[in-house]
Structures are given as structure tokens and as C-alpha cells.
Amino acid sequence: AQTVTQSQPEMSVQEAETVTLSCTYDTSESNYYLFWYKQPPSRQMILVIRQEAYKQQNATENRFSVNFQKAAKSFSLKISDSQLGDTAMYFCAFMTQGGSEKLVFGKGTKLTVNP
Amino acid sequence: DAMVIQNPRYQVTQFGKPVTLSCSQTLNHNVMYWYQQKSSQAPKLLFHYYDKDFNNEADTPDNFQSRRPNTSFCFLDIRSPGLGDTAMYLCATSRGIGGNTEAFFGQGTRLTVV
């Protein structure tokens, strides 16, 4: 079974600064996807960034980047130049590939960006 | 334009009274998921369909059932809701054939059992 662990229940950062959210996972699969999803208060879950396990290069989307360490089963999210609109719950998620496409989430990190 | 649509957005039901939540998608995705999310918690996968193949999670109560009559629609049936079933229910879809896949979420149905 796949498990996703987020060890930081809450974090805060000052506007314009950089913050890193941690995620580790456990799987015996070799092909899978990893995601970071953002869920603003009372709003829809949206994708922040995606990483294919077979790719060694870390994914980047504007201010968001990941540090993917496959051997260590680690997948952290770095948010640069934090903005007030980044305040949200952030969920790390794992999807199997080529099978049932099961998608499981970590417990989430509540990020607050302070002015 | 909304791609994953959940109805209703809010539902109040009485203890023990069956309730059905609806999800539709315009993405023609193969996979549809149902999650239960309680306040300030992670989404918990209840079950998902890959096309017509139903995948139930081992810890999903028997009280929860699902139907997928066609590619576009998926339903969550709660046969005898208890107070502990009060939660947000999220529907999501994914393409399911590999390559740049991601899950798209609906806005959720907030269910209150009274």
C-alpha cells in the first residue's frame, strides 16, 4: 500500500520570502506520479505541480518548484516569493501509474503567508 | 467552464435517510474518484472507477456505495447516513492512460447529517 506523510501540520512565512513544505512517501511501485495540490479556504482543490517518477529533473512552475529525491522517497515543495494568495492547505499526493490509477493524499500542511 | 460538476453543493439529510450525491464530467476521463474530507483533514479515498472497474478501499464502510452508469456520471449513495458522515465529499477525475496525468476536482458537496 502507498502512504504519503507530511510532517508539518502548519507553517507560516512572511510575504516575499521562501518556504519549503516536506513530503515523504512509501511505495514498492517503480512508476508513479507525485503531486502537490492547493486547497484555499472553502475553495476548490487545484493542482500546483506534478512530477513523474521516471524523470530525474525536478519540476518547476513559476514560483513553485520541487526537490524530488527518488531513492529517499522525498518530494518537497518550495514556494519562492510567497504571496498572500498562497495561503491555503497544501496536500502532497501519490498516484500509481499503469494500474488502477489510485490517488492518495497526505494529511496536509496549512500554510499562512503573513503580510 | 466547469469540467467536474458536483450536485448539490450543499445537502442536509436526516439521520438514516438515504442520500445520493452526483458528479458529472465533461473531460471524457477514464477514472472517477470519490473522497470524503472532514474539517481540516486530508481527503480520504472512498473508492474509484477505472472505466467500469470498481475499486473499493478496504476501510470504506458498507454504508457507502457508488454507481457509474456511463463515462460522464458517477454517484455516491449513502444508504443510512450517520452523524459521523457529515463531511465534504469531493469528486475527481483523471485521464488514466498515463503521461502528464493529473486529477481534476469538483467544488464538492457539503453534506450535513442531522
Side-chain angles (χ1 to χ4, degrees):
Chain A
Q2 291 81 23
T3 59
V4 179
T5 302
Q6 294 179 249
S7 58
Q8 304 151 314
E10 292 191 41
M11 294 192 71
S12 63
V13 63
Q14 292 299 119
E15 196 174 6
E17 292 187 349
T18 296
V19 63
T20 298
L21 309 183
S22 301
C23 174
T24 59
Y25 60 95
D26 189 23
T27 183
S28 57
E29 304 281 342
S30 56
N31 296 319
Y32 51 88
Y33 297 98
L34 294 162
F35 307 90
W36 280 97
Y37 278 89
K38 170 185 178 180
Q39 189 177 41
S42 301
R43 293 186 64 186
Q44 201 164 351
M45 185 91 74
I46 58 173
L47 179 70
V48 174
I49 198 164
R50 170 184 53 231
Q51 175 80 43
E52 291 88 347
Y54 65 87
K55 289 186 177 179
Q56 292 187 340
Q57 186 174 6
N58 290 323
T60 300
E61 288 287 345
N62 301 314
R63 298 183 295 108
F64 300 88
S65 62
V66 298
N67 183 3
F68 174 47
Q69 302 289 330
K70 191 172 184 178
K73 295 180 181 175
S74 171
F75 182 62
S76 62
L77 173 70
K78 185 171 82 170
I79 306 174
S80 303
D81 186 25
S82 297
Q83 300 176 0
L84 296 179
D86 295 333
T87 292
M89 283 291 291
Y90 286 82
F91 293 100
C92 179
F94 175 102
M95 180 188 282
T96 56
Q97 181 187 2
S100 69
E101 310 292 316
K102 180 175 175 177
L103 176 66
V104 294
F105 287 84
K107 293 191 174 192
T109 297
K110 183 178 181 181
L111 177 68
T112 302
V113 180
N114 299 308
Chain B
D1 290 338
M3 296 177 287
V4 182
I5 303 165
Q6 292 187 244
N7 284 303
R9 291 287 310 280
Y10 302 91
Q11 176 76 56
V12 179
T13 191
Q14 289 184 331
F15 180 94
K17 184 175 181 180
V19 65
T20 294
L21 310 184
S22 168
C23 178
S24 64
Q25 55 136 335
T26 60
L27 297 163
N28 202 34
H29 280 173
N30 296 309
V31 190
M32 294 187 78
Y33 307 86
W34 278 107
Y35 291 89
Q36 179 192 64
Q37 187 178 27
K38 296 189 176 181
S39 181
S40 301
Q41 295 186 20
K44 178 181 179 298
L45 182 63
L46 296 173
F47 24 59
H48 71 288
Y49 280 92
Y50 194 136
D51 292 327
K52 295 182 180 180
D53 292 334
F54 179 68
N55 299 273
N56 195 32
E57 294 302 297
D59 56 355
T60 297
D62 292 339
N63 199 24
F64 290 81
Q65 304 285 321
S66 185
R67 297 170 283 135
R68 189 179 186 186
N70 53 53
T71 299
S72 300
F73 285 87
C74 195
F75 301 97
L76 169 61
D77 302 307
I78 309 177
R79 292 189 298 184
S80 182
L83 299 179
D85 296 329
T86 291
M88 177 74 84
Y89 290 86
L90 301 174
C91 175
T93 74
S94 71
R95 189 154 50 97
I97 55 174
N100 293 333
T101 192
E102 68 179 85
F104 293 83
F105 283 80
Q107 290 187 296
T109 293
R110 187 171 296 280
L111 177 68
T112 303
V113 183
V114 298

